[in-house]
Amino acid sequence: MFTGIIQEIGAIRALKKSSDSMELTIECLQLSKESSRGDSISVNGICLTIKEIGQNYFKMDVMKETLDRSNLKYIKSGDKVNLEKAVTPTSLMGGHFVQGHVDVVGIIESIQKTPQYWMLHIKPESDIIKFLIPKASIAINGISLTIVDVNTPSFSVSIIPTTYQDTNIGLLKSGNYVNLEVDMMGKYVYHYVQQMSVGKPKLTKETLLKNGF
């Protein structure tokens, strides 16, 4: 479990691909000193396990399911990635609960710069819009952000200067892919409502009027 508050920007030092997996070597100055073999680290919002650690780097394995579902399938040597250690009982909850389980990738449709912030418009590759509402949380490349607006099939978020400077979001361009993880509470509520409505008539204007609303 993570909070979506990025602690360091790492760099892909090397990657070794096989038919159904990939080994990542990530260069990082801070977290390599604070971590141990077996620790969980969020890499661009993906929960991965350190299998080897050395001076200013660690290595991780990425399975096919994760590659298929995330933007790691597009990663190249030298690319920058967002890093965050897993939370502990004493960690500050500065963002929201992020599981590190990417739902889908999204493509950046546009980036608009204003004097105070940047506005990103993102189109998910598959239908997660049903889980999104304005002011709800979403993790983008592991960053806890607040949804500004939802305009199917896209949504928008605003980026403050601190986030722009301290994460890899400041390196993104239109057409780039980002990892998206919907707030788990939104998914649970949606699933619960769907289950409760099985076999029951849909809530419509006519149903409300018929029942005195």
Side-chain angles (χ1 to χ4, degrees):
M1 188 73 72
F2 308 92
T3 71
I5 304 300
I6 304 306
Q7 296 169 319
E8 184 175 2
I9 300 177
I12 302 298
R13 179 189 288 185
L15 44 86
K16 186 186 300 182
K17 295 183 179 180
S18 65
S19 59
D20 59 355
S21 65
M22 180 169 65
E23 179 190 80
L24 289 179
T25 302
I26 300 176
E27 184 175 347
C28 55
L29 302 179
Q30 175 188 340
L31 294 192
S32 62
K33 295 180 175 66
E34 300 175 0
S35 304
S36 303
R37 184 178 184 275
D39 283 356
S40 294
I41 301 287
S42 171
V43 179
N44 269 4
I46 305 161
C47 180
L48 298 177
T49 302
I50 296 175
K51 73 170 189 177
E52 179 184 323
I53 194 163
Q55 185 173 2
N56 298 335
Y57 78 90
F58 43 65
K59 292 185 178 182
M60 300 167 146
D61 288 324
V62 186
M63 298 296 101
K64 185 178 186 301
E65 163 69 12
T66 304
L67 290 172
D68 290 343
R69 192 176 286 268
S70 73
N71 64 5
L72 288 186
K73 57 179 169 284
Y74 306 117
I75 206 82
K76 305 182 301 298
S77 181
D79 283 354
K80 306 295 185 182
V81 289
N82 294 325
L83 303 175
E84 181 193 355
K85 293 179 65 176
V87 297
T88 69
T90 59
S91 298
L92 292 174
M93 282 301 300
H96 72 282
F97 287 117
V98 178
Q99 293 178 294
H101 302 157
V102 172
D103 291 302
V104 66
V105 296
I107 188 168
I108 298 178
E109 293 187 311
S110 65
I111 302 174
Q112 298 172 313
K113 187 180 185 305
T114 77
Q116 291 81 30
Y117 60 89
W118 290 259
M119 184 73 75
L120 270 63
H121 298 270
I122 300 171
K123 181 180 179 181
E125 273 196 342
S126 63
D127 181 23
I128 60 166
I129 293 293
K130 60 191 176 187
F131 301 122
L132 307 184
I133 58 172
K135 309 307 178 188
S137 296
I138 189 168
I140 300 177
N141 273 2
I143 308 163
S144 176
L145 294 169
T146 302
I147 296 168
V148 173
D149 202 4
V150 179
N151 292 297
T152 304
S154 304
F155 69 94
S156 59
V157 293
S158 61
I159 310 297
I160 62 172
T162 300
T163 303
Y164 192 85
Q165 295 162 9
D166 294 351
T167 71
N168 68 3
I169 212 156
L171 303 173
L172 298 176
K173 301 175 182 178
S174 295
N176 286 167
Y177 289 94
V178 290
N179 293 327
L180 304 176
E181 182 188 328
V182 177
D183 183 9
M184 62 180 180
M185 293 303 296
K187 288 185 283 189
Y188 290 152
V189 169
Y190 181 87
H191 180 72
Y192 175 77
V193 171
Q194 291 294 103
Q195 291 298 311
M196 291 296 291
S197 63
V198 172
K200 297 181 180 179
K202 291 185 177 180
L203 186 63
T204 63
K205 180 180 178 181
E206 289 73 22
T207 304
L208 291 172
L209 291 172
K210 183 179 179 180
N211 287 276
F213 290 94

